[in-house]
Amino acid sequence: QVQLVQSGAEVKKPGASVKVSCKASGYTFTSYDINWVRQATGQGLEWMGWMNPNSGNTGYAQKFQGRVTMTRNTSISTAYMELSSLRSEDTAVYYCARGAGYMVRGVSDYWGQGTLVTVSS
Amino acid sequence: SYELTQPPSVSVSPGQTARITCSGDALPKQYAYWYQQKPGQAPVLVIYKDSERPSGIPERFSGSSSGTTVTLTISGVQAEDEADYYCQSADSSGTVVFGGGTKLTVL
């Protein structure tokens, strides 16, 4: 069965960076995009970007351009999302999700369990 | 920037029909997708390409599109359907966006 298992919760200081991992299993990792979505407490979903694990190509939401980097290690079927220059507004649950392959890139059919990132001084 | 507009909340009694709308200028040209999210859980895709239902999603979930508005319909609502629902689509340049979400309350 398809599974996406994310790394554990993180606490970071303002200005620091965080790197969240997402290990995929149950399917061919390089055949589907990995999307990243975040959700602040009590708020809605916010799309951050996508990565093609086969090519390494990425597409980021304009809001995160220059601050986010999505990478992968195909040998261990793991995707990574690194967000830099953290501020308190970045406190949220970060989800990785498998791209569903539909016409709108960024649609997801399987999701990780989420990783809580807390930014606090 | 492109926005998808959803009502903040919808309330229905068990067994009734719930309709959740999502409006956006690009929806006549871009498909919409719907997710259900229950507290403390990751979202689940319930409708794709406006009206298609993934395997495992109950038949009471359906979707439709008319002009700049798409609608998620839940027929014969059950208590377990109480959740937040989000639409997702893209603008003409392919930039992905979520709607603000609608909280469905089953009275």
Side-chain angles (χ1 to χ4, degrees):
Chain A
Q1 71 283 20
V2 175
Q3 277 196 304
L4 298 169
V5 178
Q6 299 182 224
S7 49
E10 303 260 15
V11 179
K12 296 291 183 181
K13 293 194 181 303
S17 297
V18 67
K19 191 171 186 176
V20 178
S21 68
C22 171
K23 183 171 178 59
S25 61
Y27 72 98
T28 302
F29 178 63
T30 51
S31 295
Y32 296 84
D33 287 353
I34 293 289
N35 300 314
W36 290 89
V37 174
R38 76 177 186 180
Q39 185 172 38
T41 302
Q43 302 300 309
L45 303 173
E46 184 172 30
W47 185 76
M48 299 182 69
W50 59 264
M51 181 196 63
N52 181 314
N54 186 46
S55 63
N57 290 344
T58 56
Y60 303 143
Q62 188 171 10
K63 175 177 180 176
F64 299 102
Q65 292 268 7
R67 270 210 312 146
V68 71
T69 304
M70 297 176 187
T71 57
R72 87 291 191 210
N73 183 334
T74 56
S75 67
I76 55 172
S77 300
T78 300
Y80 304 92
M81 186 284 299
E82 184 170 20
L83 188 63
S84 62
S85 303
L86 290 169
R87 34 208 188 233
S88 59
E89 309 89 89
D90 294 317
T91 295
V93 173
Y94 288 76
Y95 291 102
C96 67
R98 192 183 80 163
Y102 298 131
M103 294 178 67
V104 172
R105 200 163 199 169
V107 177
S108 305
D109 54 4
Y110 290 91
W111 294 65
Q113 83 276 19
T115 296
L116 175 62
V117 175
T118 303
V119 182
S120 174
S121 54
Chain B
S1 61
Y2 185 50
E3 292 185 356
L4 296 174
T5 302
Q6 298 180 234
S9 62
V10 168
S11 299
V12 294
S13 299
Q16 305 230 314
T17 297
R19 294 180 179 84
I20 300 172
T21 59
C22 172
S23 299
D25 289 342
L27 288 176
K29 297 185 177 180
Q30 293 279 14
Y31 284 121
Y33 303 77
W34 290 94
Y35 298 89
Q36 175 194 69
Q37 186 182 33
K38 296 182 179 179
Q41 298 183 19
V44 173
L45 184 68
V46 295
I47 293 290
Y48 67 95
K49 290 202 286 186
D50 289 350
S51 60
E52 301 294 321
R53 196 173 51 249
S55 62
I57 301 301
E59 290 185 9
R60 62 180 182 273
F61 288 87
S62 63
S64 61
S65 175
S66 179
T68 58
T69 299
V70 293
T71 302
L72 172 68
T73 301
I74 310 172
S75 304
V77 166
Q78 301 181 6
E80 68 197 50
D81 299 330
E82 185 163 287
D84 293 326
Y85 291 85
Y86 295 90
C87 61
Q88 183 186 28
S89 187
D91 65 14
S92 55
S93 68
T95 300
V96 177
V97 64
F98 286 100
T102 299
K103 181 176 180 58
L104 175 66
T105 300
V106 181
L107 301 170

